[in-house]
Amino acid sequence: MNMMDTKATSALLYLDGVHVSFDGFHAINNLSLTLAPGEMRAIIGPNGAGKTTMMDIITGKTKPDKGEVLFDGIVDLTKLDETKIAELGIGRKFQKPTVFESQTIEDNLLLSLNVDHRVRGTLFWRKSRDEAARIERVLETIRLTDSRHMLAGSLSHGQKQWLEIGMLLAQDPKLLLVDEPVAGMTDVETHQTAELLKEINRDNKTVVVVEHDMTFVRELGVKVTCLHEGTVLAEGTIDDVSANDRVVEVYLGR
Amino acid sequence: MTPHILTRSLDRSAMIFLLIVAAVGILLPLSNLLLPAGSMFQVPTYLMSLFGKYVCYAILALSIDLIWGYCGILSLGHGAFFALGGYAMGMYLMRQIGSRGVYGNPVLPDFMVFLNYKELPWYWYGFDMFWFAALMVLVAPGVLAFCFGWLAFRSRVTGVYLSIITQAMTYALLLAFFRNDFGFGGNNGLTDFKDILGFNIQSDGTRATLFALSCLALAVGFLMCRAVVTSKLGKVLIAIRDAESRTRFLGYRVESYKLFVFVLSACMAGVAGALYVPQVGIINPGEFAPGNSIEAVIWVAVGGRGTLIGAALGAVVVNYAKTVFTSGALAPYWLFMLGALFILVTLLLPKGIIGTFNDWCEPNRLRNRAKQKRDPIVESAAAEDGVTLPRPAE
Ligand SMILES: Nc1ncnc2c1ncn2[C@@H]1O[C@H](COP(=O)(O)OP(=O)(O)OP(=O)(O)O)[C@@H](O)[C@H]1O
Ligand SMILES: [Mg+2]
């Protein structure tokens, strides 16, 4: 019991015995996962394994039927809504890139800045030199400086993925949940994305990356968790996990 | 870094709009008062009152565009806020009648004497003072919008469900105000006004002043909306309109933002109603009719949703058409024509008059922007612009 407690309180993200069902369909079954501060974790698993649903639970979009979800060791995420959870410093990139299509790239980043999000503060908000510089840096990082005044809706799928990663950077959260970041990217872009995520992680950010692309996961070189039918099937290095019999079965058995 | 609120809100098209409103608001009353009756350029009083009505409708349309065009809240009950503002003003005007009513009661309005009221209901207290009535013009719609919005937005009622309950809200008020024992004059409403702030409400001078004030209110309302939509809050509103749940994941409390614009918009609608009542001389429960609110949404759709100027323009154009048609042989068919107009606009001009116009000007604008590149102030001002469609309305 005591050991569990220290495990829970020293973890940045701690899920234990989580269950979610949608109309009787068990999407998440007794899921447990622990992330240390500053860790990067890759999550793999076949379609429908519950990877996105897990992110929905962490970000407050879906309430678990059962189980514990703790952030920073003490905050019970199941009691909070999306807004509060975002304010705690949990940022998310969606599987289907979700950017504000009718606004410019720069405005998308500006909206993501982690400044006062209350109504009054936003109404009278003015961009400081510091914040302008930050947007500038993010634009450079995601290589969209030249198209900053373009509408986000006019970007290619891959660029939207980058813009959404840029929005995460502007948001500057403690924990980043990145759902399938390299879908629709070329090999070069995939490589660049891996580098970018590693760099973000070096900045002492905790990162959870969901991805199907094994080359990409291998390139990240971090601990891998394989989900299947809403529960953890295997955990370890990419080589361990891909050598695991059950993982092979799940992936080949499809 | 960020341009001043005025440079931000006042782009070229906003300036042009304000100039037109100012010119109309000054020249029309002057021509009415100073030129001899019958002269070619003299605007007759009845026409000025008619235009005054349109201006009030334009303010109502602006208020609808603010929530619908920028935040995606389609209220089909905004006529209720307009009518509440109107009733607040009507109550003041009723109490100004004093003992000049048919029954000569110095305190009770005629309809209360007629209905055997012994004393003034408590909610009529204070309406003999203009400042109190003026405050209520804002407070009554504002409080209703706050309560309604607080419940609806917190429960995340959106889209067509929200539209339906706004219809229900205005319909419920319609029924309530129709009742004689509700204390607002039943189906006759409030009328037979005599004067406002001591000035005869029928006199040309008062009517000209009311017209000018309506134009002023339109200009102020427009500026306020521009200031809101060009601020960062305006960008958040658009974000909510386009991807509400995404906005939450960035840490914005969506329901607070919706509540803020909804209440602001309701107060604007209330002011529009308050200026409307002295110009038409009556307020009755018919103003709560669900159809009125739907018509107002059509004005905005016709003029161009999410452009502000389009909303005001749409209100004037559609209502002018209504006046023309309903006074001719085609009168019985007006509602069919309105419906047809709505369908045609939705199919052929989905962005409305102003939105389509902006799209046409697009190539020119891009060229202008390229030229402006060297001028950082102009450029950042343009970038701060909060208008939605491909490029800011200009
Ligand atoms: N809101 C919902 N209602 C009903 N079923 C849902 C809901 N959300 C997810 N599911 C189901 O839960 C299961 C897990 O879905 P989830 O999206 O988490 O899978 P995933 O691992 O992200 O898959 P993919 O690799 O395809 O993205 C799926 O079978 C899905 O159909
Ligand atoms: Mg998924």
Side-chain angles (χ1 to χ4, degrees):
Chain A
M1 191 63 220
N2 255 338
M3 256 188 64
M4 281 301 284
D5 279 347
T6 45
K7 199 180 166 199
T9 47
S10 66
L12 187 84
L13 182 68
Y14 176 79
L15 278 76
D16 191 37
V18 177
H19 282 268
V20 173
S21 63
F22 298 110
D23 308 317
F25 171 75
H26 295 274
I28 299 284
N29 272 308
N30 196 16
L31 174 69
S32 300
L33 185 84
T34 309
L35 251 89
E39 185 183 346
M40 169 139 73
R41 178 73 61 92
I43 310 244
I44 60 170
N47 292 111
K51 305 178 298 286
T52 302
T53 308
M54 181 191 82
M55 295 201 167
D56 287 347
I57 292 168
I58 300 169
T59 52
K61 191 177 175 199
T62 302
K63 295 285 166 221
D65 303 327
K66 224 167 75 189
E68 260 188 299
V69 185
L70 294 181
F71 178 66
D72 240 354
I74 38 167
V75 189
D76 182 356
L77 294 182
T78 61
K79 298 266 186 306
L80 305 177
D81 65 3
E82 300 97 314
T83 310
K84 284 230 179 69
I85 292 176
E87 297 249 271
L88 281 178
I90 299 183
R92 174 171 184 185
K93 187 205 107 33
F94 289 76
Q95 179 166 351
K96 174 181 175 290
T98 317
V99 295
F100 302 115
E101 310 229 334
S102 67
Q103 307 203 48
T104 63
I105 289 162
E106 192 175 341
D107 284 349
N108 268 270
L109 296 177
L110 194 141
L111 281 167
S112 312
L113 285 175
N114 60 336
V115 292
D116 185 358
H117 282 156
R118 283 168 304 178
V119 171
R120 184 134 58 100
T122 310
L123 181 59
F124 297 108
W125 185 80
R126 309 189 64 176
K127 188 163 45 181
S128 70
R129 228 161 253 290
D130 228 32
E131 287 150 353
R134 242 175 81 200
I135 289 184
E136 218 58 49
R137 272 203 307 278
V138 173
L139 279 171
E140 254 160 58
T141 313
I142 59 174
R143 295 157 212 255
L144 288 172
T145 309
D146 291 335
S147 31
R148 61 196 304 162
H149 294 308
M150 266 168 62
L151 296 182
S154 61
L155 294 177
S156 72
H157 191 81
Q159 285 174 312
K160 277 185 197 166
Q161 301 268 43
W162 275 65
L163 174 55
E164 216 181 351
I165 295 174
M167 288 163 76
L168 269 181
L169 290 174
Q171 208 180 336
D172 195 28
K174 281 192 225 161
L175 171 65
L176 291 80
L177 306 170
V178 192
D179 203 347
E180 304 204 5
V182 298
M185 285 190 184
T186 63
D187 287 352
V188 178
E189 286 168 340
T190 301
H191 170 72
Q192 288 167 345
T193 309
E195 288 304 315
L196 176 58
L197 287 175
K198 283 197 274 188
E199 195 184 308
I200 293 169
N201 181 235
R202 271 196 295 275
D203 243 12
N204 221 5
K205 304 262 181 248
T206 312
V207 187
V208 177
V209 190
V210 164
E211 192 46 74
H212 285 292
D213 186 330
M214 284 303 164
T215 346
F216 173 78
V217 173
R218 198 169 283 279
E219 201 173 346
L220 290 179
V222 295
K223 190 169 170 186
V224 177
T225 299
C226 178
L227 291 191
H228 176 54
E229 291 178 351
T231 184
V232 176
L233 198 63
E235 210 165 74
T237 65
I238 178 81
D239 293 320
D240 290 349
V241 170
S242 42
N244 184 303
D245 289 344
R246 298 196 53 206
V247 173
V248 173
E249 191 184 316
V250 164
Y251 268 96
L252 297 181
R254 276 198 295 144
Chain B
M1 299 299 303
T2 310
H4 186 269
I5 187 155
L6 274 180
T7 35
R8 194 183 76 199
S9 327
L10 286 175
D11 63 0
R12 207 182 59 211
S13 54
M15 295 281 237
I16 294 173
F17 176 79
L18 285 175
L19 278 178
I20 293 173
V21 172
V24 171
I26 293 167
L27 294 181
L28 226 74
L30 284 185
S31 98
N32 172 264
L33 293 178
L34 300 183
L35 297 178
S39 127
M40 205 170 77
F41 297 104
Q42 202 251 2
V43 179
T45 306
Y46 82 91
L47 212 55
M48 193 172 58
S49 287
L50 188 67
F51 289 152
K53 233 170 82 172
Y54 297 165
V55 175
C56 296
Y57 286 150
I59 302 172
L60 174 62
L62 269 188
S63 78
I64 292 175
D65 196 25
L66 180 65
I67 55 169
W68 184 38
Y70 291 88
C71 196
I73 304 170
L74 175 54
S75 166
L76 294 181
H78 243 52
F81 304 123
F82 181 85
L84 281 178
Y87 265 98
M89 178 57 85
M91 287 162 81
Y92 163 76
L93 295 172
M94 283 311 263
R95 300 217 48 192
Q96 290 308 292
I97 298 173
S99 52
R100 285 170 291 175
V102 178
Y103 296 103
N105 189 311
V107 178
L108 295 186
D110 277 352
F111 77 89
M112 290 190 190
V113 180
F114 181 75
L115 293 170
N116 280 323
Y117 276 69
K118 292 289 165 276
E119 54 186 34
L120 203 65
W122 61 268
Y123 46 83
W124 276 76
Y125 290 166
F127 278 95
D128 49 335
M129 294 172 284
F130 183 79
W131 69 266
F132 183 80
L135 192 66
M136 285 303 130
V137 162
L138 297 170
V139 169
V143 166
L144 176 67
F146 185 87
C147 297
F148 180 92
W150 196 77
L151 292 169
F153 300 141
R154 246 171 48 107
S155 329
R156 301 200 181 168
V157 181
T158 54
V160 64
Y161 300 100
L162 186 88
S163 305
I164 290 171
I165 59 171
T166 53
Q167 278 265 286
M169 173 190 75
T170 193
Y171 191 63
L173 285 167
L174 169 78
L175 296 180
F177 274 78
F178 256 126
R179 295 164 58 102
N180 279 333
D181 54 11
F182 201 54
F184 295 97
N187 69 8
N188 293 324
L190 311 175
T191 188
D192 287 333
F193 308 134
K194 300 279 187 272
D195 49 32
I196 180 166
L197 286 170
F199 299 100
N200 179 359
I201 207 158
Q202 304 287 354
S203 78
D204 286 355
T206 312
R207 293 186 157 259
T209 312
L210 281 169
F211 179 84
L213 282 175
S214 305
C215 290
L216 182 67
L218 177 62
V220 171
F222 174 77
L223 263 178
M224 205 175 62
C225 288
R226 280 291 299 172
V228 167
V229 303
T230 55
S231 72
K232 187 182 170 197
L233 187 131
K235 297 185 206 296
V236 176
L237 295 182
I238 295 168
I240 292 172
R241 181 192 72 189
D242 294 345
E244 175 168 335
S245 119
R246 185 73 179 93
T247 318
R248 286 206 175 88
F249 289 109
L250 289 178
Y252 294 99
R253 193 148 289 288
V254 167
E255 49 273 29
S256 310
Y257 282 82
K258 287 188 171 179
L259 196 57
F260 169 76
V261 275
F262 195 64
V263 171
L264 183 67
S265 159
C267 292
M268 265 180 78
V271 171
L275 286 161
Y276 174 85
V277 166
Q279 297 187 77
V280 297
I282 182 168
I283 172 84
N284 62 29
E287 294 299 334
F288 286 104
N292 281 14
S293 300
I294 296 177
E295 252 184 68
V297 167
I298 296 179
W299 310 335
V300 178
V302 168
R305 181 188 165 196
T307 59
L308 296 180
I309 296 177
L313 183 73
V316 173
V317 168
V318 176
N319 278 295
Y320 183 71
K322 182 178 182 173
T323 307
V324 170
F325 283 117
T326 51
S327 58
L330 292 170
Y333 307 110
W334 164 246
L335 275 181
F336 294 106
M337 286 197 285
L338 187 66
L341 178 70
F342 184 57
I343 294 168
L344 282 178
V345 165
T346 315
L347 292 178
L348 303 177
L349 291 181
K351 290 179 177 173
I353 300 171
I354 294 288
T356 311
F357 178 77
N358 284 342
D359 282 0
W360 274 346
C361 303
E362 187 67 357
N364 299 336
R365 285 213 63 227
L366 286 181
R367 225 176 302 132
N368 288 344
R369 283 175 72 77
K371 255 186 276 160
Q372 288 168 358
K373 264 268 149 61
R374 265 158 279 129
D375 187 345
I377 296 165
V378 174
E379 205 200 4
S380 71
E384 286 301 324
D385 223 326
V387 179
T388 56
L389 301 169
R391 267 328 301 169
E394 188 168 291

